[in-house]
PDB file of all heavy atoms in Angstrom:
ATOM      1  N   LYS A   1      16.810  16.109  -2.645  1.00 95.00           N
ATOM      2  CA  LYS A   1      16.910  14.684  -2.888  1.00 95.00           C
ATOM      3  C   LYS A   1      15.813  14.354  -3.886  1.00 95.00           C
ATOM      4  O   LYS A   1      14.719  14.728  -3.681  1.00 95.00           O
ATOM      5  CB  LYS A   1      16.732  13.897  -1.624  1.00 95.00           C
ATOM      6  CG  LYS A   1      17.008  12.392  -1.815  1.00 95.00           C
ATOM      7  CD  LYS A   1      17.184  11.639  -0.512  1.00 95.00           C
ATOM      8  CE  LYS A   1      17.546  10.237  -0.714  1.00 95.00           C
ATOM      9  NZ  LYS A   1      18.902  10.092  -1.175  1.00 95.00           N
ATOM     10  N   HIS A   2      16.163  13.614  -4.973  1.00 93.00           N
ATOM     11  CA  HIS A   2      15.162  13.429  -6.001  1.00 93.00           C
ATOM     12  C   HIS A   2      15.308  11.939  -6.461  1.00 93.00           C
ATOM     13  O   HIS A   2      16.306  11.557  -6.994  1.00 93.00           O
ATOM     14  CB  HIS A   2      15.517  14.316  -7.197  1.00 93.00           C
ATOM     15  CG  HIS A   2      14.430  14.386  -8.228  1.00 93.00           C
ATOM     16  ND1 HIS A   2      14.595  14.993  -9.455  1.00 93.00           N
ATOM     17  CD2 HIS A   2      13.172  13.898  -8.263  1.00 93.00           C
ATOM     18  CE1 HIS A   2      13.495  14.886 -10.190  1.00 93.00           C
ATOM     19  NE2 HIS A   2      12.612  14.189  -9.508  1.00 93.00           N
ATOM     20  N   LEU A   3      14.207  11.188  -6.220  1.00 93.00           N
ATOM     21  CA  LEU A   3      14.163   9.783  -6.607  1.00 93.00           C
ATOM     22  C   LEU A   3      13.116   9.668  -7.790  1.00 93.00           C
ATOM     23  O   LEU A   3      12.065  10.243  -7.713  1.00 93.00           O
ATOM     24  CB  LEU A   3      13.649   8.979  -5.464  1.00 93.00           C
ATOM     25  CG  LEU A   3      14.491   9.075  -4.123  1.00 93.00           C
ATOM     26  CD1 LEU A   3      13.807   8.285  -3.030  1.00 93.00           C
ATOM     27  CD2 LEU A   3      15.880   8.600  -4.342  1.00 93.00           C
ATOM     28  N   VAL A   4      13.520   8.860  -8.739  1.00 90.00           N
ATOM     29  CA  VAL A   4      12.637   8.714  -9.982  1.00 90.00           C
ATOM     30  C   VAL A   4      12.420   7.203 -10.198  1.00 90.00           C
ATOM     31  O   VAL A   4      13.375   6.449 -10.191  1.00 90.00           O
ATOM     32  CB  VAL A   4      13.251   9.347 -11.145  1.00 90.00           C
ATOM     33  CG1 VAL A   4      12.330   9.189 -12.366  1.00 90.00           C
ATOM     34  CG2 VAL A   4      13.553  10.825 -10.952  1.00 90.00           C
ATOM     35  N   MET A   5      11.195   6.843 -10.467  1.00 84.00           N
ATOM     36  CA  MET A   5      10.894   5.403 -10.653  1.00 84.00           C
ATOM     37  C   MET A   5      11.591   4.956 -11.921  1.00 84.00           C
ATOM     38  O   MET A   5      12.109   3.849 -12.002  1.00 84.00           O
ATOM     39  CB  MET A   5       9.324   5.290 -10.804  1.00 84.00           C
ATOM     40  CG  MET A   5       8.928   3.838 -10.978  1.00 84.00           C
ATOM     41  SD  MET A   5       7.084   3.778 -10.790  1.00 84.00           S
ATOM     42  CE  MET A   5       6.697   2.347 -11.739  1.00 84.00           C
ATOM     43  N   GLY A   6      11.575   5.814 -13.024  1.00 68.00           N
ATOM     44  CA  GLY A   6      12.476   5.558 -14.100  1.00 68.00           C
ATOM     45  C   GLY A   6      11.941   4.615 -15.172  1.00 68.00           C
ATOM     46  O   GLY A   6      12.719   4.331 -16.120  1.00 68.00           O
ATOM     47  N   THR A   7      10.706   4.155 -15.126  1.00 59.00           N
ATOM     48  CA  THR A   7      10.268   3.190 -16.154  1.00 59.00           C
ATOM     49  C   THR A   7       9.376   3.862 -17.139  1.00 59.00           C
ATOM     50  O   THR A   7       9.020   3.279 -18.170  1.00 59.00           O
ATOM     51  CB  THR A   7       9.465   2.090 -15.471  1.00 59.00           C
ATOM     52  OG1 THR A   7       8.396   2.603 -14.668  1.00 59.00           O
ATOM     53  CG2 THR A   7      10.298   1.179 -14.589  1.00 59.00           C
ATOM     54  N   GLY A   8       8.978   5.146 -16.928  1.00 56.00           N
ATOM     55  CA  GLY A   8       8.086   5.824 -17.902  1.00 56.00           C
ATOM     56  C   GLY A   8       6.655   5.448 -17.698  1.00 56.00           C
ATOM     57  O   GLY A   8       6.209   4.975 -16.624  1.00 56.00           O
ATOM     58  N   PHE A   9       5.824   5.733 -18.694  1.00 53.00           N
ATOM     59  CA  PHE A   9       4.414   5.485 -18.598  1.00 53.00           C
ATOM     60  C   PHE A   9       4.140   4.015 -18.751  1.00 53.00           C
ATOM     61  O   PHE A   9       4.903   3.244 -19.372  1.00 53.00           O
ATOM     62  CB  PHE A   9       3.667   6.252 -19.690  1.00 53.00           C
ATOM     63  CG  PHE A   9       3.799   7.771 -19.546  1.00 53.00           C
ATOM     64  CD1 PHE A   9       4.690   8.463 -20.364  1.00 53.00           C
ATOM     65  CD2 PHE A   9       3.147   8.485 -18.548  1.00 53.00           C
ATOM     66  CE1 PHE A   9       4.774   9.848 -20.286  1.00 53.00           C
ATOM     67  CE2 PHE A   9       3.302   9.799 -18.427  1.00 53.00           C
ATOM     68  CZ  PHE A   9       4.108  10.500 -19.282  1.00 53.00           C
ATOM     69  N   THR A  10       3.004   3.574 -18.102  1.00 53.00           N
ATOM     70  CA  THR A  10       2.662   2.172 -18.143  1.00 53.00           C
ATOM     71  C   THR A  10       2.483   1.651 -19.556  1.00 53.00           C
ATOM     72  O   THR A  10       2.761   0.505 -19.846  1.00 53.00           O
ATOM     73  CB  THR A  10       1.432   1.885 -17.332  1.00 53.00           C
ATOM     74  OG1 THR A  10       0.342   2.801 -17.786  1.00 53.00           O
ATOM     75  CG2 THR A  10       1.658   2.087 -15.874  1.00 53.00           C
ATOM     76  N   TRP A  11       2.007   2.520 -20.454  1.00 53.00           N
ATOM     77  CA  TRP A  11       1.801   2.080 -21.838  1.00 53.00           C
ATOM     78  C   TRP A  11       3.097   2.023 -22.614  1.00 53.00           C
ATOM     79  O   TRP A  11       3.158   1.392 -23.741  1.00 53.00           O
ATOM     80  CB  TRP A  11       0.788   3.014 -22.563  1.00 53.00           C
ATOM     81  CG  TRP A  11       1.218   4.467 -22.624  1.00 53.00           C
ATOM     82  CD1 TRP A  11       2.083   5.049 -23.471  1.00 53.00           C
ATOM     83  CD2 TRP A  11       0.771   5.479 -21.689  1.00 53.00           C
ATOM     84  NE1 TRP A  11       2.233   6.377 -23.193  1.00 53.00           N
ATOM     85  CE2 TRP A  11       1.387   6.707 -22.137  1.00 53.00           C
ATOM     86  CE3 TRP A  11      -0.132   5.534 -20.627  1.00 53.00           C
ATOM     87  CZ2 TRP A  11       1.173   7.891 -21.514  1.00 53.00           C
ATOM     88  CZ3 TRP A  11      -0.328   6.716 -20.038  1.00 53.00           C
ATOM     89  CH2 TRP A  11       0.299   7.885 -20.424  1.00 53.00           C
ATOM     90  N   ASP A  12       4.174   2.541 -22.065  1.00 61.00           N
ATOM     91  CA  ASP A  12       5.473   2.429 -22.715  1.00 61.00           C
ATOM     92  C   ASP A  12       6.184   1.094 -22.307  1.00 61.00           C
ATOM     93  O   ASP A  12       6.680   0.333 -23.144  1.00 61.00           O
ATOM     94  CB  ASP A  12       6.402   3.578 -22.253  1.00 61.00           C
ATOM     95  CG  ASP A  12       5.982   4.881 -22.952  1.00 61.00           C
ATOM     96  OD1 ASP A  12       5.449   4.805 -24.036  1.00 61.00           O
ATOM     97  OD2 ASP A  12       6.273   5.967 -22.379  1.00 61.00           O
ATOM     98  N   THR A  13       6.135   0.746 -21.045  1.00 62.00           N
ATOM     99  CA  THR A  13       6.768  -0.479 -20.593  1.00 62.00           C
ATOM    100  C   THR A  13       6.032  -1.741 -20.977  1.00 62.00           C
ATOM    101  O   THR A  13       6.655  -2.701 -21.397  1.00 62.00           O
ATOM    102  CB  THR A  13       6.922  -0.518 -19.035  1.00 62.00           C
ATOM    103  OG1 THR A  13       5.638  -0.528 -18.432  1.00 62.00           O
ATOM    104  CG2 THR A  13       7.684   0.728 -18.563  1.00 62.00           C
ATOM    105  N   GLN A  14       4.710  -1.671 -20.891  1.00 71.00           N
ATOM    106  CA  GLN A  14       3.856  -2.819 -21.140  1.00 71.00           C
ATOM    107  C   GLN A  14       4.311  -4.107 -20.436  1.00 71.00           C
ATOM    108  O   GLN A  14       4.227  -5.204 -20.907  1.00 71.00           O
ATOM    109  CB  GLN A  14       3.796  -3.056 -22.705  1.00 71.00           C
ATOM    110  CG  GLN A  14       3.277  -1.858 -23.461  1.00 71.00           C
ATOM    111  CD  GLN A  14       3.357  -2.042 -24.933  1.00 71.00           C
ATOM    112  OE1 GLN A  14       3.428  -3.137 -25.500  1.00 71.00           O
ATOM    113  NE2 GLN A  14       3.278  -0.886 -25.679  1.00 71.00           N
ATOM    114  N   ASP A  15       4.896  -3.891 -19.254  1.00 79.00           N
ATOM    115  CA  ASP A  15       5.389  -4.982 -18.459  1.00 79.00           C
ATOM    116  C   ASP A  15       5.000  -4.778 -17.002  1.00 79.00           C
ATOM    117  O   ASP A  15       5.676  -4.045 -16.224  1.00 79.00           O
ATOM    118  CB  ASP A  15       6.942  -5.055 -18.574  1.00 79.00           C
ATOM    119  CG  ASP A  15       7.607  -6.260 -17.937  1.00 79.00           C
ATOM    120  OD1 ASP A  15       7.018  -6.804 -16.984  1.00 79.00           O
ATOM    121  OD2 ASP A  15       8.694  -6.651 -18.421  1.00 79.00           O
ATOM    122  N   ARG A  16       3.943  -5.444 -16.593  1.00 87.00           N
ATOM    123  CA  ARG A  16       3.391  -5.223 -15.246  1.00 87.00           C
ATOM    124  C   ARG A  16       4.350  -5.554 -14.191  1.00 87.00           C
ATOM    125  O   ARG A  16       4.601  -4.807 -13.168  1.00 87.00           O
ATOM    126  CB  ARG A  16       2.094  -5.991 -15.136  1.00 87.00           C
ATOM    127  CG  ARG A  16       1.450  -5.850 -13.725  1.00 87.00           C
ATOM    128  CD  ARG A  16       0.074  -6.586 -13.675  1.00 87.00           C
ATOM    129  NE  ARG A  16      -0.387  -6.697 -12.311  1.00 87.00           N
ATOM    130  CZ  ARG A  16      -0.969  -5.668 -11.653  1.00 87.00           C
ATOM    131  NH1 ARG A  16      -1.134  -4.499 -12.291  1.00 87.00           N
ATOM    132  NH2 ARG A  16      -1.376  -5.784 -10.413  1.00 87.00           N
ATOM    133  N   GLU A  17       5.065  -6.741 -14.306  1.00 89.00           N
ATOM    134  CA  GLU A  17       5.945  -7.125 -13.290  1.00 89.00           C
ATOM    135  C   GLU A  17       7.100  -6.188 -13.103  1.00 89.00           C
ATOM    136  O   GLU A  17       7.589  -5.895 -11.991  1.00 89.00           O
ATOM    137  CB  GLU A  17       6.533  -8.548 -13.588  1.00 89.00           C
ATOM    138  CG  GLU A  17       5.400  -9.615 -13.539  1.00 89.00           C
ATOM    139  CD  GLU A  17       4.598  -9.623 -12.222  1.00 89.00           C
ATOM    140  OE1 GLU A  17       5.305  -9.587 -11.151  1.00 89.00           O
ATOM    141  OE2 GLU A  17       3.416  -9.614 -12.271  1.00 89.00           O
ATOM    142  N   LYS A  18       7.614  -5.662 -14.247  1.00 88.00           N
ATOM    143  CA  LYS A  18       8.718  -4.739 -14.190  1.00 88.00           C
ATOM    144  C   LYS A  18       8.253  -3.437 -13.524  1.00 88.00           C
ATOM    145  O   LYS A  18       8.993  -2.799 -12.785  1.00 88.00           O
ATOM    146  CB  LYS A  18       9.212  -4.441 -15.643  1.00 88.00           C
ATOM    147  CG  LYS A  18      10.362  -3.403 -15.682  1.00 88.00           C
ATOM    148  CD  LYS A  18      10.775  -3.217 -17.121  1.00 88.00           C
ATOM    149  CE  LYS A  18      11.894  -2.142 -17.226  1.00 88.00           C
ATOM    150  NZ  LYS A  18      12.305  -1.873 -18.599  1.00 88.00           N
ATOM    151  N   ASP A  19       7.022  -2.962 -13.809  1.00 88.00           N
ATOM    152  CA  ASP A  19       6.483  -1.792 -13.247  1.00 88.00           C
ATOM    153  C   ASP A  19       6.332  -1.944 -11.663  1.00 88.00           C
ATOM    154  O   ASP A  19       6.676  -1.004 -10.949  1.00 88.00           O
ATOM    155  CB  ASP A  19       5.160  -1.392 -13.909  1.00 88.00           C
ATOM    156  CG  ASP A  19       5.288  -0.851 -15.281  1.00 88.00           C
ATOM    157  OD1 ASP A  19       6.407  -0.411 -15.637  1.00 88.00           O
ATOM    158  OD2 ASP A  19       4.334  -0.846 -16.084  1.00 88.00           O
ATOM    159  N   ILE A  20       5.788  -3.077 -11.313  1.00 92.00           N
ATOM    160  CA  ILE A  20       5.645  -3.317  -9.864  1.00 92.00           C
ATOM    161  C   ILE A  20       6.931  -3.315  -9.154  1.00 92.00           C
ATOM    162  O   ILE A  20       7.068  -2.693  -8.100  1.00 92.00           O
ATOM    163  CB  ILE A  20       4.855  -4.654  -9.628  1.00 92.00           C
ATOM    164  CG1 ILE A  20       3.422  -4.509 -10.101  1.00 92.00           C
ATOM    165  CG2 ILE A  20       4.955  -5.063  -8.175  1.00 92.00           C
ATOM    166  CD1 ILE A  20       2.665  -5.812 -10.131  1.00 92.00           C
ATOM    167  N   ALA A  21       7.916  -3.953  -9.734  1.00 92.00           N
ATOM    168  CA  ALA A  21       9.294  -4.012  -9.100  1.00 92.00           C
ATOM    169  C   ALA A  21       9.888  -2.625  -9.011  1.00 92.00           C
ATOM    170  O   ALA A  21      10.470  -2.235  -7.965  1.00 92.00           O
ATOM    171  CB  ALA A  21      10.170  -4.947  -9.920  1.00 92.00           C
ATOM    172  N   ALA A  22       9.733  -1.819 -10.033  1.00 90.00           N
ATOM    173  CA  ALA A  22      10.263  -0.469 -10.037  1.00 90.00           C
ATOM    174  C   ALA A  22       9.501   0.390  -8.990  1.00 90.00           C
ATOM    175  O   ALA A  22      10.124   1.210  -8.291  1.00 90.00           O
ATOM    176  CB  ALA A  22      10.108   0.174 -11.404  1.00 90.00           C
ATOM    177  N   ALA A  23       8.178   0.274  -8.869  1.00 93.00           N
ATOM    178  CA  ALA A  23       7.441   1.018  -7.974  1.00 93.00           C
ATOM    179  C   ALA A  23       7.824   0.698  -6.538  1.00 93.00           C
ATOM    180  O   ALA A  23       8.062   1.484  -5.624  1.00 93.00           O
ATOM    181  CB  ALA A  23       5.901   0.783  -8.143  1.00 93.00           C
ATOM    182  N   GLU A  24       7.969  -0.644  -6.273  1.00 95.00           N
ATOM    183  CA  GLU A  24       8.397  -1.089  -4.908  1.00 95.00           C
ATOM    184  C   GLU A  24       9.793  -0.611  -4.566  1.00 95.00           C
ATOM    185  O   GLU A  24      10.075  -0.182  -3.454  1.00 95.00           O
ATOM    186  CB  GLU A  24       8.270  -2.624  -4.844  1.00 95.00           C
ATOM    187  CG  GLU A  24       6.837  -3.106  -4.849  1.00 95.00           C
ATOM    188  CD  GLU A  24       6.781  -4.628  -4.886  1.00 95.00           C
ATOM    189  OE1 GLU A  24       7.779  -5.297  -5.220  1.00 95.00           O
ATOM    190  OE2 GLU A  24       5.673  -5.190  -4.587  1.00 95.00           O
ATOM    191  N   ALA A  25      10.650  -0.569  -5.583  1.00 94.00           N
ATOM    192  CA  ALA A  25      12.078  -0.132  -5.349  1.00 94.00           C
ATOM    193  C   ALA A  25      12.129   1.300  -4.969  1.00 94.00           C
ATOM    194  O   ALA A  25      12.827   1.649  -4.026  1.00 94.00           O
ATOM    195  CB  ALA A  25      12.925  -0.446  -6.610  1.00 94.00           C
ATOM    196  N   VAL A  26      11.428   2.171  -5.725  1.00 95.00           N
ATOM    197  CA  VAL A  26      11.486   3.585  -5.394  1.00 95.00           C
ATOM    198  C   VAL A  26      10.728   3.884  -4.124  1.00 95.00           C
ATOM    199  O   VAL A  26      11.120   4.787  -3.339  1.00 95.00           O
ATOM    200  CB  VAL A  26      10.974   4.465  -6.604  1.00 95.00           C
ATOM    201  CG1 VAL A  26       9.437   4.448  -6.709  1.00 95.00           C
ATOM    202  CG2 VAL A  26      11.524   5.851  -6.415  1.00 95.00           C
ATOM    203  N   TRP A  27       9.634   3.192  -3.786  1.00 97.00           N
ATOM    204  CA  TRP A  27       8.937   3.380  -2.606  1.00 97.00           C
ATOM    205  C   TRP A  27       9.773   2.955  -1.377  1.00 97.00           C
ATOM    206  O   TRP A  27       9.764   3.690  -0.355  1.00 97.00           O
ATOM    207  CB  TRP A  27       7.580   2.631  -2.568  1.00 97.00           C
ATOM    208  CG  TRP A  27       6.885   2.650  -1.246  1.00 97.00           C
ATOM    209  CD1 TRP A  27       6.568   1.653  -0.400  1.00 97.00           C
ATOM    210  CD2 TRP A  27       6.403   3.851  -0.587  1.00 97.00           C
ATOM    211  NE1 TRP A  27       5.926   2.064   0.682  1.00 97.00           N
ATOM    212  CE2 TRP A  27       5.824   3.468   0.637  1.00 97.00           C
ATOM    213  CE3 TRP A  27       6.426   5.190  -0.934  1.00 97.00           C
ATOM    214  CZ2 TRP A  27       5.203   4.343   1.518  1.00 97.00           C
ATOM    215  CZ3 TRP A  27       5.785   6.097  -0.041  1.00 97.00           C
ATOM    216  CH2 TRP A  27       5.252   5.633   1.200  1.00 97.00           C
ATOM    217  N   SER A  28      10.554   1.917  -1.496  1.00 97.00           N
ATOM    218  CA  SER A  28      11.462   1.477  -0.423  1.00 97.00           C
ATOM    219  C   SER A  28      12.482   2.517  -0.109  1.00 97.00           C
ATOM    220  O   SER A  28      12.903   2.670   1.103  1.00 97.00           O
ATOM    221  CB  SER A  28      12.110   0.118  -0.715  1.00 97.00           C
ATOM    222  OG  SER A  28      13.087   0.319  -1.743  1.00 97.00           O
TER     223      SER A  28
END
């Protein structure tokens, strides 16, 4: 089983809210 956050590096997204949402989603 392989789960990936999928947003890439923080310097690529440059979107804190999007990163937090993605982190919370994969952690859940």
